[in-house]
Amino acid sequence: MFYILFMEHNNILGTVLAGGKSQRFGEDKSQILLADKILIDYILAEIINEFKEVLIVSNNSIKFTNSDKITLIGDIKKDLGPLGGVLSAMKWAKDHNKNYQWIATFPVDTPFFKKEILEQFINQIDENESSLFFIKSNNTRHNIFGLWSMNLLDQLENDLEKGARKVELWANSIGVKTINMEFPNQDPFFNINTKEDLEQAKELLKND
């Protein structure tokens, strides 16, 4: 498991950000059925064995893979967007006296993401280069696939209180480092925002 290889003295808390309102989809998309399982379980299946613990941040009572490694929490304050979810995860780790030094974040709506990509991402990181890392693939930066230092907690909380909401803008102000990857065939970061996206995902699964 990669957390043994990565930063011997530090640990990473896997975190799925499921607190979005799914306004474009019309219902909580983490719970929609794609083929034989709900959407959130696709990402959980890829990351659950890569971390000692996985946190799900959601403001709804949701279903997900049953595992002693998974904890469900709500946002400490609602309507702060994904940054609020990151802060909630950091606060949870601190309040529960966890030793995690990093938070790895994932969205609920990318059913084609694979653990091998996560491993490649982590293996390319030099912790001395930044306190925040995002994956960039095929010239697109994926702002929810990130690795966030716990040292960012106070600044993130302060900036949220001042009105920060957009992940991209806040990350740029921090000095985010991107890890570049190329995927010439199927896009593993294809995400489901609409009912049309869901139908497309069903077709892609048939060819997967």
Side-chain angles (χ1 to χ4, degrees):
M1 297 181 185
F2 81 81
Y3 59 79
I4 296 174
L5 301 174
F6 172 72
M7 306 181 200
E8 294 178 3
H9 55 288
N10 292 333
N11 283 325
I12 308 170
L13 174 63
T15 302
V16 178
L17 301 178
K21 296 181 178 180
S22 304
Q23 290 178 329
R24 291 172 62 188
F25 195 85
E27 59 184 289
D28 188 338
K29 59 186 175 182
S30 76
Q31 302 296 282
I32 62 172
L33 196 64
L34 175 60
D36 59 345
K37 58 186 177 183
I38 58 176
L39 193 54
I40 193 173
D41 282 348
Y42 281 88
I43 193 68
L44 288 173
E46 297 302 319
I47 69 173
I48 193 168
N49 291 325
E50 306 300 316
F51 301 98
K52 291 188 294 186
E53 287 184 283
V54 172
L55 201 64
I56 299 174
V57 184
S58 174
N59 296 311
N60 299 324
S61 178
I62 61 174
K63 298 178 181 178
F64 50 86
T65 298
N66 184 28
S67 172
D68 291 338
K69 296 174 67 174
I70 300 175
T71 300
L72 174 67
I73 67 167
D75 278 311
I76 57 172
K77 186 176 180 181
K78 295 182 180 179
D79 300 323
L80 297 182
L83 288 175
V86 175
L87 179 64
S88 298
M90 290 181 172
K91 286 277 197 178
W92 178 87
K94 182 178 179 181
D95 292 346
H96 288 80
N97 297 314
K98 303 289 184 177
N99 293 321
Y100 299 116
Q101 298 299 312
W102 298 85
I103 304 290
T105 54
F106 306 89
V108 297
D109 57 1
T110 51
F112 303 107
F113 182 82
K114 301 299 182 184
K115 64 181 179 181
E116 289 79 11
I117 302 171
L118 173 60
E119 292 165 359
Q120 293 173 31
F121 173 52
I122 295 297
N123 287 336
Q124 293 184 56
I125 284 176
D126 180 349
E127 64 176 296
N128 297 311
E129 291 184 335
S130 182
S131 296
L132 180 58
F133 299 86
F134 288 159
I135 295 177
K136 184 176 183 180
S137 70
N138 303 344
N139 297 316
T140 298
R141 194 173 82 180
H142 304 286
N143 297 320
I144 305 301
F145 287 94
L147 191 69
W148 314 64
S149 171
M150 283 288 295
N151 293 330
L152 294 172
L153 193 159
D154 290 341
Q155 183 170 354
L156 177 57
E157 185 170 26
N158 290 335
D159 289 343
L160 281 168
E161 289 178 356
K162 294 176 182 177
R165 294 294 182 270
K166 293 185 178 297
V167 177
E168 183 172 9
L169 294 179
W170 189 82
N172 290 343
S173 73
I174 291 298
V176 60
K177 169 79 173 179
T178 56
I179 303 298
N180 298 310
M181 300 180 183
E182 295 293 331
F183 300 94
N185 299 316
Q186 181 172 306
D187 179 14
F189 295 95
F190 176 87
N191 65 307
I192 297 174
N193 286 315
T194 65
K195 298 293 176 63
E196 291 75 17
D197 292 337
L198 177 61
E199 293 305 312
Q200 186 176 349
K202 291 177 181 178
E203 291 300 315
L204 290 171
L205 271 181
K206 294 178 182 178
N207 302 318
D208 193 11

